[in-house]
Amino acid sequence: MLRHFIDTQDFTRQELLNIIELTRRIKAADKQGCTPKLLQDASLAMIFEEPSTRTRVSFEVAMTELGGHALYLKPGEIHLGVRESLYDTAKVLSHMCDVIEARTLKHATITELAKHADVPVINGLTDYNHPTQVVCDVTTMMEHMPAGKELEDLNVTFIGDATNVLSSLILICTRMGMHFTHAAPKKYQAPAEWQAWAQKNCQESGGRLTVTEDPLAAVREADFIYTDLWWWVGQEDQIPERRAAFMPAYQVNKTLFEKAPSHCKFMHCLPASRGVEATDEVMDHPRSIIFDQSENRLHTEKGLLVYLVYPRLKRPAEELKAFHQGQIEAMLNNLKFGI
Ligand code: CP
């Protein structure tokens, strides 16, 4: 069956847990140098309309370590809605590759690609959401779970702008049944539509959503504090206004971090503007897990790729492979290449 990974809302809680468990098992194998070659000879097309470090590197390394191959299609390298329709691009890549990962400027671009692709399409970030990042984040939280707590007991606090990472995080955490808090000035809080979807998740999962302007109250019970950039490419003209809105109350610094419980961990999807949304003291704190989190992008991409692609790969019998090789070699031997 063809499944795309565009939004965590397209997956049930149990399906997301299955992806996380698969990720955990592949990571355990990897740590012993035994990554299984589950995607032998498979090809991944990686489309990037924007720069990336973690997403780009993690997908390529994941594919290589699973026995497959990744093609990096950097911004401007292929026809993508220019000189060729997205329909044609989706069909061409589907005929040559087993899976497509895309980071697109507009969310509509990836949904259009997925609509026409005949292979799984994975969302590597759009202007709306970042689902692969947050599967990684929940995996990381489960590895750093406070003693005696279950997933449903976790308090996750996001401080800062309503970014595309927040949109995915608020949805996956509430789908999982966690208690999610977003602290930001009113203008930068999660839009009403995201809150409505998250509230619906809570009704089904038993989770809880709080949106507040009070960062001190937001961190008081937090098991994890998470933040993200206050501005992104294209928002440079808003930097003074945004800095004034968030600084100093919403900066994750030592003073704010110390208001959280003594077991609380710090998370950031990266890239970060050190000294802006979080200080070095917190980024490099013994309870900062930002580099475990970024490493888990690699393991999560493996889990996702295997979950979506492995069931679709052909696994021909050895006799059939030998038959075709024999047919081709017989012809080559007869040709003798003009000798
Ligand atoms: N967190 C994340 O997606 O990082 P990159 O932009 O470097 O891929």
Side-chain angles (χ1 to χ4, degrees):
M1 183 181 142
L2 177 59
R3 294 287 299 269
H4 302 298
F5 195 78
I6 304 297
D7 192 324
T8 56
Q9 290 289 93
D10 300 335
F11 289 76
T12 64
R13 181 180 190 274
Q14 187 55 53
E15 285 173 331
L16 293 167
L17 286 171
N18 290 345
I19 294 169
I20 291 169
E21 176 59 16
L22 195 50
T23 297
R24 197 188 66 74
R25 290 184 189 204
I26 296 171
K27 179 174 178 178
D30 182 50
K31 290 292 175 191
Q32 297 195 316
C34 310
T35 308
K37 306 293 178 202
L38 293 166
L39 300 186
Q40 193 76 49
D41 300 329
S43 290
L44 163 70
M46 304 193 303
I47 300 171
F48 281 87
E49 288 194 295
E50 278 195 320
S52 161
T53 302
R54 280 142 291 270
T55 308
R56 187 240 188 280
V57 174
S58 60
F59 269 102
E60 181 161 346
V61 174
M63 207 58 194
T64 305
E65 292 186 359
L66 289 165
H69 171 70
L71 302 91
Y72 175 50
L73 306 170
K74 65 175 188 271
E77 184 147 305
I78 59 165
H79 313 297
L80 193 71
V82 181
R83 294 184 297 279
E84 181 166 82
S85 67
L86 289 170
Y87 175 92
D88 286 353
T89 305
K91 291 295 178 198
V92 169
L93 292 179
S94 299
H95 276 73
M96 295 189 193
C97 298
D98 301 285
V99 52
I100 299 166
E101 176 276 329
R103 169 169 290 195
T104 59
L105 295 168
K106 298 274 168 230
H107 193 69
T109 305
I110 198 153
T111 54
E112 186 72 6
L113 270 176
K115 186 171 155 193
H116 303 301
D118 303 307
V119 296
V121 174
I122 302 176
N123 178 351
L125 182 139
T126 69
D127 59 346
Y128 160 57
N129 68 349
H130 200 358
T132 59
Q133 175 67 54
V134 300
V135 175
C136 158
D137 297 337
V138 173
T139 304
T140 308
M141 289 174 200
M142 289 171 83
E143 288 177 348
H144 289 271
M145 199 94 86
K149 285 208 172 190
E150 302 289 336
L151 202 53
E152 296 83 351
D153 305 322
L154 292 183
N155 292 306
V156 178
T157 293
F158 185 99
I159 303 208
D161 190 22
T163 60
N164 39 15
V165 171
L166 173 74
S167 102
S168 287
L169 197 63
I170 199 172
L171 292 176
I172 198 168
C173 288
T174 51
R175 174 141 290 188
M176 289 293 170
M178 300 177 191
H179 305 153
F180 190 86
T181 301
H182 179 206
K186 267 253 172 313
K187 182 173 175 184
Y188 300 98
Q189 288 176 352
E193 194 178 36
W194 301 1
Q195 291 191 41
W197 295 332
Q199 289 290 11
K200 187 160 181 299
N201 283 350
C202 289
Q203 281 162 17
E204 289 162 12
S205 68
R208 197 169 63 229
L209 175 69
T210 307
V211 180
T212 175
E213 287 186 275
D214 184 346
L216 293 177
V219 303
R220 206 166 288 135
E221 309 262 300
D223 297 304
F224 297 94
I225 295 177
Y226 197 126
T227 190
D228 191 6
L229 295 166
W230 288 347
W231 51 81
W232 188 242
V233 179
Q235 295 176 328
E236 290 82 359
D237 58 328
Q238 300 172 28
I239 291 175
E241 185 194 340
R242 284 171 168 267
R243 190 188 287 272
F246 288 109
M247 194 73 99
Y250 299 92
Q251 184 188 60
V252 186
N253 51 34
K254 195 160 168 272
T255 308
L256 185 61
F257 198 42
E258 283 175 351
K259 297 285 187 297
S262 59
H263 66 265
C264 177
K265 306 274 171 64
F266 174 70
M267 299 179 73
H268 193 308
C269 53
L270 305 179
S273 288
R274 281 175 175 258
V276 180
E277 70 271 12
T279 58
D280 285 346
E281 281 174 322
V282 176
M283 297 279 290
D284 302 322
H285 192 278
R287 281 186 280 113
S288 166
I289 54 173
I290 58 173
F291 296 119
D292 287 355
Q293 186 184 356
S294 63
E295 181 195 318
N296 275 341
R297 287 298 303 277
L298 169 62
H299 306 296
T300 307
E301 314 317 12
K302 285 182 188 166
L304 274 168
L305 285 164
V306 168
Y307 185 85
L308 296 171
V309 181
Y310 177 82
R312 300 171 51 81
L313 292 181
K314 293 188 185 76
R315 285 176 210 83
E318 290 306 315
E319 299 77 35
L320 186 60
K321 287 199 258 181
F323 167 76
H324 283 291
Q325 185 163 337
Q327 292 276 304
I328 295 163
E329 285 182 346
M331 180 185 166
L332 288 170
N333 290 336
N334 283 337
L335 289 177
K336 295 195 186 348
F337 294 104
I339 296 168

